[in-house]
């Protein structure tokens, strides 16, 4: 490990300094632990688990093999490899956010449907139990 | 699933109401004279006594547990109409804007096969309804958007005075849109799905409580949003299967 | 188009190389197509649609007119224009996250209200249908 | 909307219960002696037989489909009270902490116009309730926060033994907070909205099942959170309109 970080000279491989490497690694590991704890408590649906574990793994790989990042940067025409790193992170976050907005849309639609169903049920129940307002049509009230 | 009263009433008046305890009694009073109509008030999570006032006015009351907006309240009303077995329904405003006398005109085309009848404020022959300048130009814009996307000219695209056939009710019970300006979106969606849309001129009263609340900026945003959504969405709809 | 990209010399305008430009453009376009497909399937509420289309458009504009980015960077005092780009992206993501937390709060509140309504309905239905526990007060059970 | 039994009972005892099958029978037994009270148990998504035990104990049971926390269970109870037409209600613990004999003392001030009566553990004159050190200092802290934000000294800000007037019930049916330490937040919200709050000393039993579960660290976090929320929120409330 140490050797790997030490080998990462500022510019040659990945363009990140040893300190940056250590910092990113620690942060990523903390994130991993956090995700795993949440999953263990059954607080996270598996689709999100997959998402976050995949994201964490990607970061770990990029940090452990700085050459990969350097090569990717050259491929994309980015001269400062850490910028590639940040760009990937931002890209992933955008996709995640789009996914979230989709999930929120669906949840909201379902909540709306439930609210309508509850309202219709309540109307039925009050009509049957004859406990709605006395001025209601007697035909309906007496049907209970 | 048929639940309505024994008398052969097959027309339901749907009144979405949000904090309308003041206007509602008069509206329900004017509707009570019509023995051939059932009335359901959908209380859209009001914080006032709307539900109680509606029940006292003789209407069936469906109370939403929180505010869903006019589109959500309407969809709930459509669902009620479908489940209770009504053959047709009319959307009616809680604030006294619509006239009971106009019900005949708006319901008649349903018998001739129309699925959606729009009671229009601005067609020639309509009555005394005065349209403000900002509102007028907004209506013109919507008219052009609808024309562009459906090929048809509907004069009053956002009118809230509409009548629905049973197939239309079944379609809207599942799909009625609920975002701001849902009436225009619903209109286009109905036309795109192959429903028969007809417009008739009706007299309308000007609103008792003026709602000039839509600030210019928000209005512009919503128009742009509606147009964007319409353009993006409207191409995909499959033609409706024959009823 | 090609001319535009070619004109984007590494440092002068926008500080991005041609390759980076092409890559970002392709990714952005893919995102646009993705969002539009979601909307067409009615899977995304319009407020999110507006959000994502606006974000995509902003990126497209910045990529097509690198001078804009360079000028903005100078204005903000950032010496490396791609960093401006990333900073804008991160800012947008923050706002989106705040919006999401608001939507989630509202959804949770609504789910709570629905749970309470369902509980009250169930009590009514059981009272009316006399199917609650037999040891319950007979007065209540027989009221149906 | 009145649904309660024919006898003119206008007081409801609301018991939020989460996995309380052991303590509940005794509590319901002691309440059964009081003929002038109706009892509702709100089962907060228990995983044990709480609902069944409550029904066997003669209470009306409202069963939440999942755990909402004490605040959510209480709001549900308030909603039940309002819909069923009760004039006043008492919040009562399921674990035998509260004494039926104290009900008279806590209900009496409602007749003199109080909206919220707090049965307080630590006022002089209260009985044998021993307050632990950590708990004591926590209570002192809350007292200071409440004093700061409302100008009033409430000795036992987090007591769960409270009585509510009809207007208070209607207010809380809509607004009762549900995050941890909701009792303090609710108290401040009531005072801010202009409701009449009164504190009376009552005897309390120490809890049968000790819940020292509130870990120190979490407790500190929650205190800080509550204070932040209170400071941020409490300024915004409009004074309540006269009832």
């Amino acid at each position: 490990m140490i050797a790997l970080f030490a080998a990462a000279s500022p510019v040659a491989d990945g363009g990140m300094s040893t300190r940056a490497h250590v910092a990113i690694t620690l942060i990523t590991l903390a994130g991993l632990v956090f995700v795993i704890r949440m999953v263990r408590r059954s607080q996270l649906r598996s689709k999100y688990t997959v998402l976050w574990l995949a994201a964490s793994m990607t970061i770990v790989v990029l940090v452990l093999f700085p050459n990969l990042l350097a090569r990717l940067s050259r491929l994309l025409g980015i001269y400062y490899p850490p910028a590639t790193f940040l760009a990937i992170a931002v890209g992933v976050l955008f996709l995640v956010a789009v996914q979230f907005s989709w999930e929120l849309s669906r949840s909201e639609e379902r909540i709306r449907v439930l609210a309508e169903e509850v309202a219709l049920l309540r109307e039925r129940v009050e009509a049957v139990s004859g406990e709605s307002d006395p001025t209601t049509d007697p035909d309906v009230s007496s049907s209970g | 699933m048929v639940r309505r009263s024994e008398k052969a009433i097959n027309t339901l008046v749907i009144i979405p109401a949000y904090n309308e305890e003041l206007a509602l009694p008069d509206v329900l009073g004017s509707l009570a004279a019509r023995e051939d109509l059932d009335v359901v008030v959908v209380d859209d999570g009001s914080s006032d006594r709307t539900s109680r006032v509606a029940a006292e006015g003789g209407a069936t009351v469906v109370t939403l547990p929180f505010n869903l907006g006019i589109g959500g309240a309407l969809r709930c009303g459509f669902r009620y109409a479908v489940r209770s077995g009504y053959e047709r329904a009319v959307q009616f405003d809680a604030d006294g804007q619509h006239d009971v006398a106009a019900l005949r005109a708006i319901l008649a085309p349903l018998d001739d096969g129309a699925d959606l009848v729009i009671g229009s404020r601005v067609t020639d022959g309509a009555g005394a309804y005065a349209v403000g300048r900002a509102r007028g130009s907004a209506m013109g814009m919507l008219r052009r958007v609808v024309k562009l996307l459906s090929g048809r000219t509907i004069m009053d695209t956002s009118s809230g005075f509409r009548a629905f056939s049973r197939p239309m009710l079944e379609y809207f019970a599942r799909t009625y849109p609920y975002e701001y300006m849902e009436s225009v979106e619903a209109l286009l969606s109905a036309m795109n799905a192959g429903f028969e849309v007809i417009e008739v001129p009706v007299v309308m009263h000007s609103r008792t409580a003026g709602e000039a609340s839509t600030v210019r900026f928000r209005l512009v945003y919503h128009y742009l949003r509606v147009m964007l959504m319409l353009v993006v969405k409207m191409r995909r709809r499959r033609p409706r299967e024959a009823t």
Side-chain angles (χ1 to χ4, degrees), chain A residues 109 111-113 115-120 122-124 133 135-136, chain B residues 3 55-56 60-63 65 68 72 75-76 79-80 83 178:
Chain A
E109 165 62 14
I111 289 169
R112 286 174 160 270
V113 170
E116 291 170 27
E117 288 294 326
V118 163
L120 293 174
R122 191 172 154 194
E123 189 275 327
R124 273 298 81 202
D133 202 87
T135 52
T136 313
Chain B
R3 282 179 196 142
E56 283 167 3
T60 301
V61 185
V62 174
T63 310
L68 293 185
R75 190 173 69 175
C76 189
R79 209 168 280 184
Y80 175 84
R83 286 203 193 153
Y178 45 76

Side-chain angles (χ1 to χ4, degrees), chain A residues 75-131:
Chain A
L75 192 75
L76 292 173
I78 296 171
Y79 303 116
Y80 183 57
T84 313
F85 187 79
L86 288 174
I88 291 172
V90 165
V92 168
L93 285 175
F94 259 106
L95 288 180
V96 168
V98 171
Q99 162 78 358
F100 282 3
S101 62
W102 178 75
E103 301 273 354
L104 279 169
S105 300
R106 201 179 56 166
S107 289
E108 210 205 323
E109 165 62 14
R110 289 183 166 183
I111 289 169
R112 286 174 160 270
V113 170
L114 286 175
E116 291 170 27
E117 288 294 326
V118 163
L120 293 174
L121 273 173
R122 191 172 154 194
E123 189 275 327
R124 273 298 81 202
V125 167
E126 284 178 356
V128 166
S129 64
E131 277 152 2

Side-chain angles (χ1 to χ4, degrees), chain B residues 4 7 14 60 68 81 97 105 125 135 155 167-168 189 207 210:
Chain B
R4 61 213 156 82
K7 321 160 250 170
I14 301 171
T60 301
L68 293 185
Q97 197 188 160
R135 200 181 185 84
M155 294 307 288
M168 192 77 258
S189 151
R207 283 162 190 259

